[in-house]
Amino acid sequence: MTADATSPSPARDAVALAADIRSGAQDAREVTDEAIRRIEELNPRLNAVVSTRFDEARAEVDAGLADGPLRGVPVLVKNLGADVAGQPATDGSRLFADVVAEVDCAVVQRYKAAGMVVLGTTNVPELGKTTTTEPLLYGPCRNPWDTGYSTGGSSGGSGAAVASGMVPVAHGTDGGGSIRIPASACGLVGLKPSRGRVPGWPRPDGLASPVTYHHALTTSVRDSAALLDAVAGHAPGDAFGAPTPARPFLEEVGAEPGRLRIGVIGTAPDPFPTDPVTTAAVDRTATLLTELGHEVRPIELGIDITESMAIGGRIMMAQLVATVDARLGALGRELADDDLEPWTRTMLDNGRTVTGTDLNLALQGAQRIGWQLAEMFGEDGVDVVLLPTLPLPVPELGHLDATDPASMWTRSSAYSSCVSLFNVSGQPAISLPAGSDTAGLPVGVQFAADYGREDLLLRLSAQVEHAAPWPAVAPGFAGW
């Protein structure tokens, strides 16, 4: 079945909103004004949005939007790794506080070509280097489910904006779980696509940092599919390009997935801890999948996760050094003590010890891990892996403290232990809501598939969404 405005999804997701605008049931200018009203009302409470372009957005609507499939749908863009012309491009860092983007990045260009209305940018941790969104530059972003808790990171501002109903969808990037972690923490859908699926132009990170991916946080599976259709496809000259899908991703939503072989990993890989609440969410999902007719069995990961995380870390730290040094070169000065947060400075100092040989070996290691995981998805393996997203409950604000590097060393890795592997390998992975923990905060589970198989993930995720739907937004907030 092709997904349409009557497919099983929250009643007012972006696909439904676009359908109402196209039919004339809603006016694009009224929708834009309503999104602006929500941001102005809710942002003082949540600190999800850090820059706005409300006048420009209204002018674009009044001048006539592109007649694309998401015409009139409001969207926010993560203030990290993605540029919106005329908006601050700070990457959450005081070192970049006065930088303003000169052009729209490829993703924003494609949002606008789809008819979307870009309203501003969202809060991020400094240079995306933590799994919580509490930068010194902008202050902490607060979780709509409980404002004393983290939104996750690094797409935490986007997660809070969607979970509170400011906008129906928001852009995110994922360099070590940075879409899937806030999706889990905020009760949303978060898909990290395959390597090369979505272009990163004009930031030339493709060869230096092949662990970072662009996509979005959404309330429904079909919104994730529709947005992926809008932005997927290589830009000329891209270093990587994912296989062209057989049909639009939106057509996978509602399509029969068939009887899939699903391997279950109920806990985080050794040596990282797993909370029983997380294991219970994986177990519930495995039971549901069995009831839906899939072949479900436990499997072993067979990957040294500490090695994988070290590989990803070396690649990202080398990129951090290049980013900071380029900025200092443009400023014509040395690094000042208050330019970077202590945790980022620690990572920078460690990054300066990474040699060219180290980086080359890390890139080779990433390829080997991709090959190893491909064997798991081979003819004698499984079609999909089910595992936790966040193995531990959503942390309270301040638990992951970027001003205290000693505590970050012992605490931070645990939160990305189930997600960063697929950044290194290049395979797609998606986080779906799967209940709540003892504090009432969301818990997510994750599906992963072989390279280029977003279609399979979307079919299965839509089936799960239909069988076990989740709230569109956090309690106490209005959905679209």
Side-chain angles (χ1 to χ4, degrees):
M1 180 184 74
T2 300
D4 58 30
T6 62
S7 298
S9 284
R12 297 288 294 170
D13 62 1
V15 170
L17 188 59
D20 282 353
I21 292 170
R22 185 165 296 279
S23 71
Q26 286 249 250
D27 176 76
R29 176 58 189 267
E30 292 176 352
V31 169
T32 299
D33 287 341
E34 171 63 12
I36 291 171
R37 184 196 68 77
R38 292 182 184 215
I39 293 169
E40 290 178 333
E41 176 187 343
L42 298 176
N43 201 54
R45 179 176 166 190
L46 300 175
N47 196 29
V49 180
V50 296
S51 73
T52 61
R53 56 187 306 276
F54 295 159
D55 291 342
E56 296 92 332
R58 287 182 171 120
E60 288 165 2
V61 174
D62 293 345
L65 299 167
D67 190 20
L70 295 169
R71 182 171 63 86
V73 173
V75 65
L76 291 162
V77 176
K78 181 178 179 179
N79 194 344
L80 176 68
D83 295 330
V84 180
Q87 292 293 287
T90 68
D91 290 352
S93 175
R94 292 168 295 176
L95 181 59
F96 295 83
D98 62 349
V99 176
V100 176
E102 296 181 357
V103 297
D104 288 336
C105 68
V107 168
V108 171
Q109 291 177 5
R110 293 178 182 190
Y111 282 164
K112 290 182 176 180
M116 302 184 80
V117 182
V118 178
L119 295 178
T121 66
T122 58
N123 203 351
V124 296
E126 183 173 59
L127 298 169
K129 301 309 178 192
T130 70
T131 54
T132 187
T133 302
E134 305 176 48
L136 293 180
L137 178 62
Y138 294 122
C141 183
R142 299 183 178 277
N143 196 314
W145 289 75
D146 187 323
T147 55
Y149 284 79
S150 170
T151 57
S154 60
S155 306
S158 292
V162 176
S164 64
M166 291 183 189
V167 288
V169 292
H171 165 265
T173 60
D174 194 312
S178 293
I179 287 174
R180 290 159 290 156
I181 289 170
S184 180
C186 296
L188 301 171
V189 176
L191 169 65
K192 182 204 77 66
S194 296
R195 179 172 294 140
R197 179 68 70 196
V198 181
W201 184 91
R203 301 203 181 196
D205 294 336
L207 289 171
S209 181
V211 297
T212 300
Y213 307 73
H214 289 263
H215 190 34
L217 292 104
T218 67
T219 63
S220 69
V221 174
R222 70 177 183 181
D223 274 4
S224 190
L227 278 169
L228 193 56
D229 282 331
V231 301
H234 80 282
D238 275 354
F240 304 100
T244 301
R247 59 182 177 176
F249 290 113
L250 189 56
E251 293 185 15
E252 305 298 345
V253 178
E256 176 58 48
R259 188 169 190 262
L260 300 177
R261 302 165 301 164
I262 299 175
V264 180
I265 300 171
T267 61
D270 289 337
F272 296 102
T274 307
D275 190 273
V277 169
T278 300
T279 302
V282 173
D283 290 345
R284 286 195 305 272
T285 305
T287 298
L288 174 63
L289 294 169
T290 300
E291 293 170 352
L292 290 170
H294 299 292
E295 176 190 327
V296 180
R297 58 183 173 87
I299 62 169
E300 297 292 330
L301 181 59
I303 300 287
D304 184 338
I305 196 65
T306 56
E307 178 188 6
S308 172
M309 295 179 81
I311 286 170
R314 281 193 292 271
I315 294 170
M316 294 189 75
M317 283 191 289
Q319 182 198 17
L320 175 63
V321 172
T323 298
V324 170
D325 284 355
R327 174 61 172 159
L328 294 174
L331 293 172
R333 64 171 176 83
E334 298 295 317
L335 188 68
D337 289 342
D338 62 351
D339 280 335
L340 298 175
E341 296 171 12
W343 175 240
T344 310
R345 180 60 186 266
T346 298
M347 294 188 71
L348 177 71
D349 292 342
N350 282 318
R352 294 201 186 283
T353 70
V354 177
T355 67
T357 298
D358 293 335
L359 179 58
N360 189 277
L361 290 172
L363 293 170
Q364 292 178 21
Q367 179 61 83
R368 282 195 296 271
I369 287 173
W371 286 332
Q372 285 180 269
L373 281 180
E375 292 178 2
M376 185 170 66
F377 294 117
E379 184 175 339
D380 297 325
V382 297
D383 301 305
V384 174
V385 175
L386 165 66
L387 70 166
T389 307
L390 275 177
L392 301 175
V394 180
E396 292 186 64
L397 290 171
H399 179 73
L400 297 173
D401 183 0
T403 67
D404 182 5
S407 72
M408 290 292 284
W409 279 121
T410 60
R411 294 177 177 178
S412 62
S413 294
Y415 289 92
S416 59
S417 59
C418 292
V419 288
S420 63
L421 172 65
F422 303 107
N423 293 84
V424 171
S425 73
Q427 277 96 346
I430 189 170
S431 181
L432 302 179
S436 57
D437 63 21
T438 55
L441 276 294
V443 175
V445 296
Q446 184 181 197
F447 292 130
D450 201 5
Y451 184 73
R453 295 310 310 270
E454 289 93 334
D455 58 339
L456 193 60
L457 292 182
L458 290 166
R459 283 181 223 154
L460 178 61
S461 297
Q463 185 184 46
V464 170
E465 179 183 30
H466 181 66
W470 47 78
V473 292
F477 292 88
W480 282 87

